[in-house]
């Protein structure tokens, strides 16, 4: 089956830049573009949307907690209704820049701490889904399969996501970044992306064996110096394995 390859992009702020978005957009098929809460600003959002459209890459809203200082990776206590409105606000902001660039937002992916919180907390998951449903009919939600986020996604199309460059635990969740081996080497990331695509499994970091990970899209993080070369190698390995790399949206 075809597999989508996505990356988190547009994650700079002002004069500060993270990653080589232009190079990554030559490789991936979907771009999760930061919407200004965990990273990104209006100028970066516009520029990243324009680059994505020029390269034929699908645009997704990468929504997060209002946490620029913590890059959206800190747990934030927030009422579900407030989360719904903040997510809707972020989608709307990116949608304007996507339209200006000649396309539209096709899907939504939560970022960092929100990604993990919505996966385990049904109320937060329902708030996020409500925002996606209100933003635009047919807008998809990209996230971890088999979690509260998928179970809450009754009103929107749900797309399961796996990670090439992050290790998994025996429960199927991502290993916390502070755990040894949580971030995979480029060689291991290439191998994991291929295994996810071919068998829907990933090796576990907290014991022998594998865990099932249902995926239609694989993420390569764009915030490391080796990210572009790793993504290029993953794309090549998928091509070599005969796996079509196509956008899901």
């Amino acid at each position: 089956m075809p597999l989508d390859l996505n990356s988190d992009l547009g994650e700079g702020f002002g004069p500060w830049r993270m990653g080589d978005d232009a190079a990554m957009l030559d490789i991936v098929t979907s771009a999760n573009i930061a919407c200004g809460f965990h990273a990104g600003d209006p100028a970066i959002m516009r520029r990243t949307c324009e680059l994505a459209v020029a390269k034929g890459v699908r645009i997704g809203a990468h929504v997060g907690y209002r946490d620029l200082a913590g890059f959206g990776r800190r747990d934030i206590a927030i009422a579900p209704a407030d989360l719904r409105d903040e997510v809707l606000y972020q989608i709307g902001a990116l949608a304007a820049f996507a339209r200006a660039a000649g396309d539209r937002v096709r899907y939504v992916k939560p970022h960092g701490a929100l990604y993990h919180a919505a996966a385990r907390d049904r109320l937060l998951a329902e708030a996020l889904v409500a925002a996606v449903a209100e933003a635009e009919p047919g807008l998809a939600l990209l996230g971890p399969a088999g979690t509260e986020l998928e179970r809450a996604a009754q009103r929107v199309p749900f797309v399961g996501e796996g990670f090439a460059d992050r290790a998994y635990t025996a429960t199927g969740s991502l290993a916390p970044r502070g755990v040894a081996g949580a971030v995979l080497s480029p060689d291991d990331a290439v191998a994991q992306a291929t295994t996810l695509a071919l068998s829907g499994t990933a090796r576990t970091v907290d014991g022998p064996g594998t865990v099932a990970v249902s995926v239609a899209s694989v993420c390569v993080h764009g915030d490391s110096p080796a990210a572009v070369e790793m993504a290029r190698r993953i794309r090549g390995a998928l091509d070599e394995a005969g796996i079509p790399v196509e956008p899901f949206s």
Side-chain angles (χ1 to χ4, degrees):
M1 291 181 63
L3 186 74
D4 176 66
L5 196 59
N6 77 74
S7 188
D8 304 340
L9 304 176
E11 290 188 317
F13 188 79
W16 181 72
R17 296 288 182 267
M18 176 181 282
D20 188 343
D21 288 357
M24 192 66 82
L25 285 165
D26 286 328
I27 303 165
V28 300
T29 47
S30 296
N32 320 313
I33 300 176
C35 300
F37 271 35
H38 76 276
D41 60 34
I44 291 174
M45 292 163 70
R46 176 186 288 276
R47 182 168 61 250
T48 311
C49 284
E50 289 173 347
L51 279 171
V53 172
K55 295 173 184 286
V57 176
R58 299 292 193 265
I59 294 172
H62 200 29
V63 299
Y65 287 134
R66 190 194 298 263
D67 182 28
L68 283 173
F71 195 60
R73 287 181 175 159
R74 300 183 292 188
D75 286 323
I76 302 290
I78 186 170
D82 291 336
L83 176 64
R84 176 201 61 205
D85 292 345
E86 292 201 351
V87 169
L88 185 60
Y89 180 97
Q90 292 175 79
I91 298 169
L94 188 69
F97 288 113
R99 284 195 300 272
D103 202 353
R104 60 185 175 87
V105 171
R106 310 294 184 107
Y107 65 95
V108 176
K109 173 185 169 179
H111 165 82
L114 177 57
Y115 189 96
H116 300 298
R120 62 178 182 265
D121 187 315
R122 183 57 179 258
L123 293 179
L124 294 182
E126 289 176 346
L128 206 157
V129 168
V132 174
E134 289 177 348
E136 183 179 330
L139 200 60
L141 177 61
L142 178 64
T147 65
E148 292 297 339
L149 197 57
E150 181 179 23
R151 287 187 279 274
Q154 302 300 312
R155 294 184 285 164
V156 302
F158 182 85
V159 179
E161 178 187 39
F163 288 82
D165 50 3
R166 292 291 308 280
Y168 283 85
T169 69
T171 64
S173 61
L174 293 180
R177 285 178 176 269
V179 172
V183 180
L184 302 185
S185 69
D187 287 345
D188 288 341
V190 172
Q192 179 154 291
T194 307
T195 303
L196 284 169
L198 291 175
S199 67
T201 62
R203 287 191 304 168
T204 57
V205 73
D206 54 350
T210 61
V211 64
V213 184
S214 178
V215 303
S217 182
V218 169
C219 178
V220 182
H221 285 100
D223 57 355
S224 70
V228 172
E229 181 56 29
M230 181 167 60
R232 190 173 288 117
R233 288 180 58 194
I234 289 171
R235 181 72 185 255
L238 294 173
D239 289 341
E240 206 170 291
I243 301 162
V245 179
E246 301 173 1
F248 65 83
S249 55

